[in-house]
Amino acid sequence: MTSLASPPEGTKVILHWLNKSRSQRILFLLEELHVPYEIRTYERTADKVAPPELKQVHPLGKSPVVEIQVPGRSEPIILAESALIIEYICEYWGKQLIPARWKDGQSGGIGQESEAWMRYKYYMNYGEGSLMPFLVMKLVIGSIENAPVPFFLKPITRGIANKVYDAFIHPNLASHFAFLESELASSPTGGDYFCGELSGVDFLMIFPLEAAPGRVPDLSKETHPKLFAFVERMHERESYKKAVEVIIKETGSYDPSL
């Protein structure tokens, strides 16, 4: 792959950050790479949805959104979707977080990709495309289960929720988290991260793994030691701690849960 030039001097990165959203992992990445940035924070409404102001940044009104102002460009670059943002930032500011594409001694060609690079491309799609939908479904069904309804309707809403959990959500979550535990156990070169060495994928995966406890049945340090060790390892990074400090300073508190 052709090496990309570094961003020109004066490039400005603006992170549009929303509480209880995926945007914290972008802040974590920016701190890890020492990318100069500006942060603009938004709070969810009483209905727990993003405020309308975010639609002025991106038509869908979601977060994270990263705005990049480049000298000489009349319009900023607007990036949405966590995986795209992470890949784009890594390509220009964090090439060390992208695994080498080709196996040692290979010049490039189909089937010559390294295991680390194949994992990198896979997880950039898997995190949001396969794993997060089940965690979001658990959140939505939980809101139905705990909805403020008359007491005589509680057994009905609870019964519906439990049927969805037992037949669909919980079996799928169990499969995903068993898979993730095995993936860390078989990490390339015996590494501590999803692609062996630290990569952009780890910044993507930290959010669902932080959100999982309490939502995934039978998830504990005893049953999934590799996953819990991974989260603790990421939390120990100075860039993670700094990102939390930034949000506490900006908003007064920080809660990593959904």
Side-chain angles (χ1 to χ4, degrees), residues 93-165:
W93 285 278
K95 295 178 179 67
Q96 69 274 22
L97 295 182
I98 304 174
R101 178 165 184 170
W102 308 113
K103 295 176 183 176
D104 290 344
Q106 301 292 340
S107 58
I110 190 167
Q112 297 180 357
E113 295 87 357
S114 69
E115 181 185 356
W117 186 84
M118 291 296 288
R119 280 183 175 230
Y120 180 81
K121 301 304 286 188
Y122 173 77
Y123 277 105
M124 281 297 177
N125 290 277
Y126 166 87
E128 291 297 317
S130 294
L131 179 59
M132 276 305 299
F134 290 107
L135 290 170
V136 172
M137 278 187 259
K138 180 68 184 280
L139 179 68
V140 172
I141 297 299
S143 67
I144 295 173
E145 180 183 15
N146 299 311
V149 297
F151 73 92
F152 56 86
L153 292 179
K154 274 288 184 184
I156 298 175
T157 57
R158 189 175 297 116
I160 292 172
N162 286 335
K163 284 186 177 181
V164 177
Y165 291 151

Side-chain angles (χ1 to χ4, degrees), residues 177-187 190-194 202 206 209 219-234:
F177 280 82
F179 167 70
L180 291 171
E181 180 73 12
S182 69
E183 284 287 281
L184 281 175
S186 62
S187 178
D192 294 324
Y193 302 96
F194 281 98
D202 300 302
I206 187 62
L209 295 181
L219 181 67
S220 68
K221 286 186 177 181
E222 291 69 35
T223 60
H224 298 76
K226 296 286 187 182
L227 289 176
F228 276 81
F230 168 82
V231 173
E232 290 175 2
R233 195 175 297 115
M234 295 296 278

Side-chain angles (χ1 to χ4, degrees), residues 5 21-22 28 57-58 63 110 123 135 145 150 157 175 200 230 237:
S21 79
R22 296 155 168 83
F28 181 12
V57 184
H58 188 278
S63 177
I110 190 167
Y123 277 105
L135 290 170
E145 180 183 15
T157 57
S175 294
F230 168 82
R237 299 189 74 82

Side-chain angles (χ1 to χ4, degrees), residues 43-51:
E43 292 289 322
R44 292 185 181 276
T45 68
D47 296 326
K48 299 182 179 180
V49 298

